Each structure stands twice: as C-alpha cells, then as structure tokens.
Amino acid sequence: MAARAASLAPFFDESSGLGRDADVRSRPARGGLQQGDTPGLYGGTDEAAICDVEQLKRYLAEPRNDRKARAWAGALDLRTDGIPEYLDGLTPVLLRHDTLVRNHDYKKGKAVPFNALLQAGIAILVDEQGMPTVKCSCGNPLRPFEGDKSRISVSFDDGNEKWKGYDPSEVVVVRPASHELERIALVDVEDPGRGVERPVGTTGEEDTAFDTRKRQAVPSLIGTTFGEASRRLAGRGLAVAYGGKEPPPDGARVTASDPAAGTELRFGAHVTLSVVENTGRSGGGTTPPDPESSRPTTTPASSSSPSAPSSPSAPSSPSTSSSGPSKSERPASPSGTPEATSPPADSTPPPLPSTASGPPPSTRSTPPETPETTSAPPRTAPPPPTGRPASSAPATSVPATSEAPTTSAPAERPRRTRE
C-alpha cells in the first residue's frame, strides 16, 4: 500500500482527516527483523500531529459505528469499552522503512485481514512495545506480519508502477520490544540531524530534540546478559544487530561485541553481540558461563566474514547472535540519563552482521481466494507526493526472517498512477 493511497475498503474515509502520510524515502535496512524499540526505526516531524487520535476515538464511540467498533476491537483482541484507554496509550510515528504488517479491510460488518506492505512515509500508531497497531489515515487496525519475509511476493500490477525507491531487500518486519517502552527515539524525516524523543502515549506535544550527529561510545558489555547489554546500547541510541531467526534469550551471557567497547558510533548504528546461552537444569537456577572460558564458536559477524546464527536446538553451545533493536533504556537525548546522552552521527558505520538468509526476491503475486493470506501492493495512487527527501539516518537492524512462508497480494486493488 503506497503512502497517500486510498484503501479499498477502509474502516473510515481516508479524507476525514484521521491521519496524514509524508514523503519519505525508505531507508536502507538490508531487510529483516527489527524490534519495536530500535533507535531510529520510526520517524517524526515538526509539523502538526500526523494522527488525530481523539477523532478516531470519537468515530469508534458513535452509536452509528457500533458494529464497526466491535469489528475494530476484535481485530486487536480488545473489548469495545477498552478502546478509549487503548488509544490513549498509542503513539503516532511515520514509517522510515517499507514495512510488512497484517492489515484489515472492513467488509460486510467484519474486519477482513490481509498481509500488506506499507510504504515508508505512512503514518501509523504504535503501542508500548513499538508495534504498528493502526494505520492513521483510515483507522484500519494492524497486527504483526507472521510469514517468511524472504518468500513473499509483491505485485504492482493493473497498471500500477513500483513506488520510487522500492527495494525488496529493504523491507522490514517489526517484532515487539521485550519490555514496555517509556519513550521512542525517532528521526526527523525532514532533518536527519535532528532526533526526537517522544514519550509513549503522546502525540508530539512533549517531544524533546537531540542531535543525531553526536557520536556515542560502545559501553563495556562483556559478562553482562544479552538483555542488559541491549538496554545499555538503547540508552546510547545504538541498535543491537543480530544474525539469527530470533533474538537470543535475555539471560544469554555476552562474550564479545563488534565494534569493541570504546568505539564511537553514530545514532542508530549497529553493535553485534556474541553470546553464549546459560545451561541450567530444571528446578534450579542457571550459572552463567565464564566469558573467557566459554567463548563463542564463531566470531562476531562482519560484512566480510558472516557468522552462524544462534542454534535454538543446542542452547549449551555458544553462538553469534544479535537482535533487531536495543531493549529497554531511555533513548539518547541531550537531557536524558547518563545512559541516554545524545547519540552519534556521521562516523563510518561498523561492520554489518550476517543474516540468516539473503534479501527477499521481488516477484509477482496473484490475488488469493481468501484474505487470510493476501498481501497489499500499492492501492489507488494519488499524484506523486512532494516534499523534502527522507532522512539519511542509518537503518537500525540487520535482517532475519520468520519461519512460515507467505504469498501475498490483496483480494482487490485499485489502480495507482504516477505523473
């Protein structure tokens, strides 16, 4: 689904003012999995609120929309009387990457799910774990994409053209952060040197700015748990890179980082962690292995020397892992805590970790017979958006893939044109 394109069967009229998409070029991410607390995963803007949460709340509370509200709430596993409180906890952001989600049309009184590829620049609401939950312009509820990103098919047919900058290797899938976030570290999509720290559940009125060009040193992480290391990196505006299909357990012990402690990196840059899982017995606690005697069997991933992903079937064997995002400290800002100082900027990026699979192929797809396995190419296209170029801030995660293959295309699609 392209930015500013009308949905085929939206919950609410796209022209009702519920949300405004922006002109954002998808950022290089080399595809793959990213967790919802990855610094710089999402974007922000100085302009007026991009999502009108209060108006969406009123629409869903109107008696004439009762059936629609029940379908909306059901798609998100909510009760209708819990909608206002749920919406109050969401945060408006802009996508900085072409992102796979499980979207929902509203047809015959029901929420009909289909897999959708949302273009960078689309305004969404995210929850306290950084997960996309609502497409702002139409109010459609969103759920996580659960297929295999490397095996999707994205079709731009019926005369539609691929949107500018579309690259299947940059498509991302978002997974929830392992903790509830207090703030989300955004990048201003019109000024990549400006970061925005937005408290969760606010719409921009409490934003604080920070300088994404200020570099931060990688902290000493050897001997800490993976969860603690992730939180420390997040507090400095750095992301955790990972080369497996899933992040390692929070309790896995860190034995090395690449780059090493003390290296100064820009905001959103990756740090690859090598970890070894603890080997406790059932009924008792686990004893962390000695970091020096239990070294990983593989070296930290790099762009020239790929590493092996974690092996869930052999928890006692060390492995090189990483994870899409950092986990839980306050993102970097000038006014933050010691772990939340201003993040780095224009230094040379660190070596990239290996991935579990190559970038996804760009292939055709045909409309399936059931909406459960559909995906969304761009829909009715307006004239090409105008505006400033997208942020040049770096992407914040190295890819991994999920496990269930999915083929996708919407059951219906309007025509999208370009001037």
Side-chain angles (χ1 to χ4, degrees), residues 22-28 34 36-47 50 91-97 120-122 183-198 207-214 236-239 266-269 331-333 342-345 388-396:
D23 181 22
V24 176
R25 179 73 175 265
S26 182
R27 309 311 306 158
Q34 301 197 44
D37 58 352
T38 303
L41 174 61
Y42 300 118
T45 177
D46 254 348
E47 298 178 3
I50 54 174
T91 310
V93 299
L94 292 168
L95 293 176
R96 294 183 71 227
H97 308 275
I122 287 179
R183 297 167 181 81
I184 300 176
L186 312 175
V187 171
D188 190 324
V189 296
E190 296 184 348
D191 179 7
R194 178 179 179 268
V196 176
E197 190 180 59
R198 178 166 297 170
D207 288 358
T208 55
F210 61 89
D211 187 353
T212 63
R213 295 165 297 186
K214 185 175 180 180
R236 300 194 180 200
L238 303 177
R266 69 190 185 283
F267 176 76
S333 82
S342 297
R388 300 177 60 177
S391 152
S392 61
T396 57

Side-chain angles (χ1 to χ4, degrees), residues 61-388:
E62 290 178 2
R64 65 188 177 92
N65 289 329
D66 179 68
R67 188 176 183 184
K68 190 172 289 188
R70 283 186 279 114
W72 191 94
L76 295 170
D77 295 331
L78 301 172
R79 292 168 52 97
T80 52
D81 58 6
I83 290 176
E85 181 181 2
Y86 178 76
L87 287 173
D88 285 341
L90 303 182
T91 310
V93 299
L94 292 168
L95 293 176
R96 294 183 71 227
H97 308 275
D98 295 344
T99 303
L100 285 164
V101 296
R102 188 79 159 163
N103 200 352
H104 295 77
D105 274 336
Y106 182 71
K107 295 180 178 179
K108 298 180 179 179
K110 295 182 180 180
V112 181
F114 63 95
N115 290 327
L117 177 64
L118 302 185
Q119 185 184 17
I122 287 179
I124 63 168
L125 295 173
V126 298
D127 65 15
E128 71 281 356
Q129 290 182 289
M131 290 299 296
T133 57
V134 179
K135 184 176 182 291
C136 292
S137 64
C138 58
N140 285 8
L142 306 175
R143 296 300 298 265
F145 175 83
E146 296 180 350
D148 183 344
K149 189 193 75 67
S150 68
R151 301 181 64 182
I152 65 168
S153 296
V154 178
S155 174
F156 295 83
D157 52 11
D158 293 336
N160 288 315
E161 296 178 1
K162 294 182 181 181
W163 55 65
K164 185 177 180 181
Y166 172 72
D167 184 343
S169 69
E170 294 180 2
V171 172
V172 303
V173 175
V174 182
R175 289 287 178 259
S178 62
H179 60 285
E180 292 189 2
L181 308 177
E182 295 182 1
R183 297 167 181 81
I184 300 176
L186 312 175
V187 171
D188 190 324
V189 296
E190 296 184 348
D191 179 7
R194 178 179 179 268
V196 176
E197 190 180 59
R198 178 166 297 170
V200 169
T202 65
T203 58
E205 65 279 2
E206 299 178 34
D207 288 358
T208 55
F210 61 89
D211 187 353
T212 63
R213 295 165 297 186
K214 185 175 180 180
R215 293 177 294 178
Q216 289 288 336
V218 177
S220 177
L221 302 171
I222 295 177
T224 65
T225 64
F226 176 76
E228 174 63 21
S230 298
R231 288 187 288 273
R232 289 189 188 182
L233 289 169
R236 300 194 180 200
L238 303 177
V240 181
Y242 101 95
K245 289 188 176 181
E246 295 295 337
D250 274 3
R253 196 62 56 172
V254 175
T255 60
S257 70
D258 182 18
T263 305
E264 292 190 346
L265 302 174
R266 69 190 185 283
F267 176 76
H270 295 106
V271 176
T272 301
L273 302 178
S274 295
V275 303
V276 61
E277 294 185 21
N278 296 335
T279 55
R281 298 293 181 188
S282 109
T286 61
T287 303
D290 178 76
E292 295 302 322
S293 61
S294 302
R295 307 296 277 182
T297 56
T298 59
T299 59
S302 71
S303 58
S304 60
S305 176
S307 65
S310 297
S311 173
S313 62
S316 61
S317 300
S319 61
T320 299
S321 321
S322 25
S323 116
S326 357
K327 295 209 186 271
S328 111
E329 292 188 7
R330 176 173 180 164
S333 82
S335 59
T337 58
E339 286 296 331
T341 53
S342 297
D346 51 357
S347 63
T348 301
L352 296 169
S354 63
T355 61
S357 69
S362 173
T363 60
R364 58 106 193 112
S365 72
T366 55
E369 303 212 357
T370 64
E372 291 292 335
T373 56
T374 61
S375 133
R379 303 193 177 215
T380 311
T386 59
R388 300 177 60 177

